[in-house]
Amino acid sequence: MELLKRLETYAAERPEHIAIWMDDVTLTYETLWQHVQKESEMLPTNMAYQNVMLTHTQTASFIVAYLAVLVRQGVPCVLGPQWSTEQRDALIKLHRVPYVWGDEGLRSTSYEPSHKAPTIPHLLHIGFTSGTTGLPKGFMRDLPSWIASFKVNDTLLDASTQTYMALGPYAHSLTLYVMIYALWHGKTFIGQDRYHMAKGLSYIAELQQTCALFLVPTMVYDGIHLGQHSQWVRHIFISGDKLSSSRHIQLKTVFPESKIDEFFGTSEASFISVNRNQTAPLDSVGRLFPNVTVTLREQDDAGIGQLFVKSPMTFSGYLGEDAIDEWIATGDFARIEKDVLYLQGRVQDRLIIGGKNVYPAVIEQHLKQWPEIVDAVIVRRPHDKLGELAIALYIGPEQLDVQAVRNWLLSRVSRYEIPSKFIRVASLPYTASGKVSRKMAQTCYERGDFQ
């Protein structure tokens, strides 16, 4: 595998260069490769083509195990430590996983290894969805698809950048991507087992090397309010919800030397579009990448349809399910003007108010531009006459001038899209990727937590 060949080369040519920096643990390329070789030699001889579930609590131990499994031609299954024993056991049973590797070492399960060669060549690993709506689904990622993503990233990133930092858990798609991306190019990956933005920035200052930060929106908020300026941060990539214009300005104030790119993509489709330094329209998610083809199905009169994506960066399908179509459904409603992509919201989130389609994400984008609103989410409430109503939950001042907000929204959305009620909340539930969890917010609202 080309990734392993590169690591072996870096270990020989730049042995003292730091490969992984995780709080108190640093691994040079030479040390990393030595650990990988040692661990791989201790693995069973029948490891080829076998799924190995990785559950380490320490990222440094995880990456050694991940690479050691690849050396023996096995398939790392990146589950992480956050799942309960019941969830792990259910996944092991569902997919008949023969090996589990965690802090206590490698152990065999009751399932016999299968020696059938995989139908997907160059399989890199199996990741898992968040599991918020049931048992996590395993999605397969091959190396060529990530190499295609690396090439797209390379067009945006200055080649002289020496370090890449992602502070989320290693089982999160963005963090794992950045880690492998750094190793692919022989750079230094900086991460954390316990998220602490200030410490992460202090590591960059200590290294005194140019750095690219890969963040989710909640980390952006932390970085802004920390106010810790860094001359070494030259590029910030943001994956998740869009930044408001005001939030973008605040981030630029803290990191004045940095370019800021906002990605739109999914774990299955990888990168789809990018807004470079907010040069694309504010209400868009940027311009489509040149190697991405999109189509909108079941379009309405406004040109809004369900978004499907095709590119060399997409995943290889879900574990245990039939082969996927070349077109990947993102689960979003969208419209396209030239090469600019405008998201209207998730398919399951659409409201129908008085027979009209209402897309909560559009309303939320506008609400977040109001200076006093820190964050907001739209939830639904049944209504006898109109079918549904939009309710705005927001973090902000207790004395928000709701009528002023409504008047301001009238020039931006239709009257039936304006929330019928605004409810101030102390906090909102977030997903691991830094997005507000609409499902959890809806549950909390229905339960009366926000009254």
Side-chain angles (χ1 to χ4, degrees), residues 53 88-97 100 109 111:
M53 183 178 290
R88 291 185 193 178
D89 290 345
L91 288 170
I92 291 169
K93 180 179 180 180
L94 176 64
H95 300 299
R96 304 181 68 83
V97 179
V100 177
T109 68
Y111 298 100

Side-chain angles (χ1 to χ4, degrees), residues 36-37 250 254 336 374:
V36 169
Q37 292 296 101
Q250 291 172 327
V254 177
I336 300 169
V374 176

Side-chain angles (χ1 to χ4, degrees), residues 418-439:
I418 296 176
S420 63
K421 189 175 183 179
F422 287 73
I423 300 176
R424 177 179 176 269
V425 298
S427 63
L428 290 168
Y430 291 88
T431 66
S433 61
K435 298 180 181 180
V436 175
S437 172
R438 191 185 307 279
K439 181 182 178 184

Side-chain angles (χ1 to χ4, degrees), residues 20 46 74 77 80 94 101 143-144 154 160 205 214 224-225 245 250 291 293 299 310 326 341 354 357 363 384 420:
I20 303 290
N46 62 348
C77 297
L94 176 64
W101 193 354
L143 182 58
D154 291 344
S160 65
F214 292 77
I224 290 171
H225 288 269
S245 181
Q250 291 172 327
N291 63 348
T293 304
Q299 292 186 53
K310 179 171 64 174
E326 63 176 348
L341 181 63
N357 290 337
I363 306 171
D384 291 340
S420 63

